[in-house]
Amino acid sequence: MSPASRTNKKISEYSLSIVTGGSSGIGKTVIERILKVESGSRICNISRTKPPLFFNDTNTQHLECDLSSRKDRATALSRLLNLLNDEEDKGPILLVNNAGFGLYDTVSAKPSSEHLELLEVNIAALVDITVTLLPILKKRGGSIINIASTSAFQATPYLASYGASKSFVLNWTLALNEEFRNTNINALAVCPGPTRTNFFRRAGLTQRVIPDGYSSSSEEVVEATFKALAKGKSLVTTGLKSKLVSAFSSRLPKTLGTRLAGKIINKYRPAK
Ligand SMILES: NC(=O)c1ccc[n+]([C@@H]2O[C@H](COP(=O)([O-])OP(=O)(O)OC[C@H]3O[C@@H](n4cnc5c(N)ncnc54)[C@H](OP(=O)(O)O)[C@@H]3O)[C@@H](O)[C@H]2O)c1
């Protein structure tokens, strides 16, 4: 892949896709989308549960891994490196760091172990996997898609660790893409607003608290993601409402933005 093809990237150009968290929600839809474009695509998924679409064929590989565990990550990454080493087709790679979860509540309501588990999955695993794969990406060319969130654009009281983790993902991805300007690697930060997946249940909320009329399907998020990748963008906020709300909140003074975000997020906290 030449440096010029940092833009105009099509799914069919990648010889292998590596997805984290492909067992449900946005990650599962990413896999569905790749298989829809190229039914025989080679995909490697990293999560605790096997994606429902994975059968025992040679093109799909599931690496079972709890991404919050450094030991599990080391084992999965070593298996992944062996797999990459054994490949005949050494074409470009698509890496989609999607796995992540949120914690809704006051900071003090959760033990530090839960905050640290979130930081391991949302930040440490993403950095670990990306940095480990960079030497191979440099040789083969490719793209990195990191799933951040609109929570990245301001401080998020009652979702404090989650929002801050997504600010890291957003800024780290933008910096990475800039460092790789004029090379055969590009990085795209995706910032979805509320999306109808298992995310809210996992974060301790019930489905009914997802704001009506302000949520997208995972298909809409993935559609916007691959459009942005094809255009060579480094950042995409998916959905018109999310774009407008994020544009507004990023322009507010930091303290006022935090106050407003806290008032809104507090409404969606589980009733005690
Ligand atoms: N839904 C939203 O409103 C929304 C909005 C903005 C951004 N996002 C981001 O989108 C990404 C995908 O979330 P989603 O909405 O699709 O939620 P989801 O349906 O709950 O999917 C989360 C995925 O992450 C994986 N995962 C979570 N913890 C893991 C761990 N310890 N080890 C390995 N894999 C783990 C899960 O796999 P296993 O359980 O099988 O391990 C699952 O496949 C996340 O990064 C999330 O922060 C979501």
Side-chain angles (χ1 to χ4, degrees):
M1 191 180 281
S2 68
S5 60
R6 256 166 71 95
T7 58
N8 198 19
K9 297 214 166 156
K10 298 191 187 78
I11 291 174
S12 54
E13 285 179 32
Y14 301 96
S15 75
L16 172 73
S17 301
I18 300 160
V19 181
T20 69
S23 56
S24 77
I26 296 170
K28 175 170 162 271
T29 307
V30 165
I31 292 177
E32 282 166 354
R33 180 57 183 252
I34 294 170
L35 290 174
K36 196 173 165 193
V37 172
E38 290 266 308
S39 60
S41 289
R42 298 185 44 257
I43 306 175
C44 178
N45 170 70
I46 307 175
S47 59
R48 290 167 299 189
T49 326
K50 190 172 178 177
L53 287 164
F54 276 25
F55 306 107
N56 290 326
D57 61 51
T58 47
N59 289 329
T60 55
Q61 179 92 30
H62 171 60
L63 299 179
E64 188 181 321
C65 173
D66 178 347
L67 287 168
S68 70
S69 151
R70 290 178 187 201
K71 192 167 158 256
D72 262 29
R73 284 207 308 265
T75 308
L77 277 169
S78 142
R79 284 182 64 197
L80 181 59
L81 291 175
N82 284 338
L83 205 129
L84 290 167
N85 202 29
D86 291 345
E87 278 196 316
E88 278 171 26
D89 181 354
K90 306 266 192 219
I93 294 173
L94 174 64
L95 168 63
V96 185
N97 286 302
N98 158 79
F101 72 94
L103 285 178
Y104 276 81
D105 220 323
T106 56
V107 168
S108 59
K110 302 282 182 193
S112 69
S113 58
E114 287 193 38
H115 292 280
L116 295 178
E117 182 190 350
L118 181 149
L119 299 180
E120 284 291 338
V121 177
N122 294 10
I123 298 180
L126 177 145
V127 173
D128 200 0
I129 295 170
T130 308
V131 175
T132 303
L133 293 182
L134 274 177
I136 297 168
L137 278 160
K138 280 183 193 169
K139 278 192 201 139
R140 294 174 54 163
S143 306
I144 300 156
I145 296 177
N146 288 335
I147 307 296
S149 163
T150 48
S151 304
F153 295 119
Q154 68 287 298
T156 53
Y158 312 107
L159 254 182
S161 294
Y162 177 73
S165 76
K166 293 300 181 177
S167 299
F168 176 94
V169 173
L170 169 60
N171 287 311
W172 196 77
T173 309
L174 290 173
L176 189 72
N177 186 60
E178 193 56 35
E179 286 182 19
F180 280 101
R181 189 172 280 279
N182 299 323
T183 71
N184 56 0
I185 300 175
N186 67 321
L188 166 66
V190 180
C191 294
T195 309
R196 296 183 292 276
T197 66
N198 290 336
F199 177 85
F200 293 94
R201 213 173 6 213
R202 167 69 182 84
L205 299 177
T206 53
Q207 288 292 335
R208 80 187 148 72
V209 298
I210 300 172
D212 283 342
Y214 181 51
S215 65
S216 304
S217 65
S218 55
E219 286 78 13
E220 288 166 322
V221 171
V222 171
E223 171 82 25
T225 299
F226 282 113
K227 263 194 191 155
L229 183 72
K231 288 183 183 160
K233 290 191 173 179
S234 57
L235 167 63
V236 61
T237 303
T238 63
L240 183 63
K241 281 183 187 158
S242 296
K243 272 194 184 93
L244 292 173
V245 171
S246 303
F248 172 70
S249 65
S250 347
R251 278 166 184 75
L252 289 175
K254 285 268 182 221
T255 45
L256 181 59
T258 306
R259 194 87 199 275
L260 268 178
K263 281 197 182 307
I264 294 165
I265 300 166
N266 194 23
K267 280 192 193 165
Y268 300 112
R269 277 207 294 152
K272 295 277 177 200

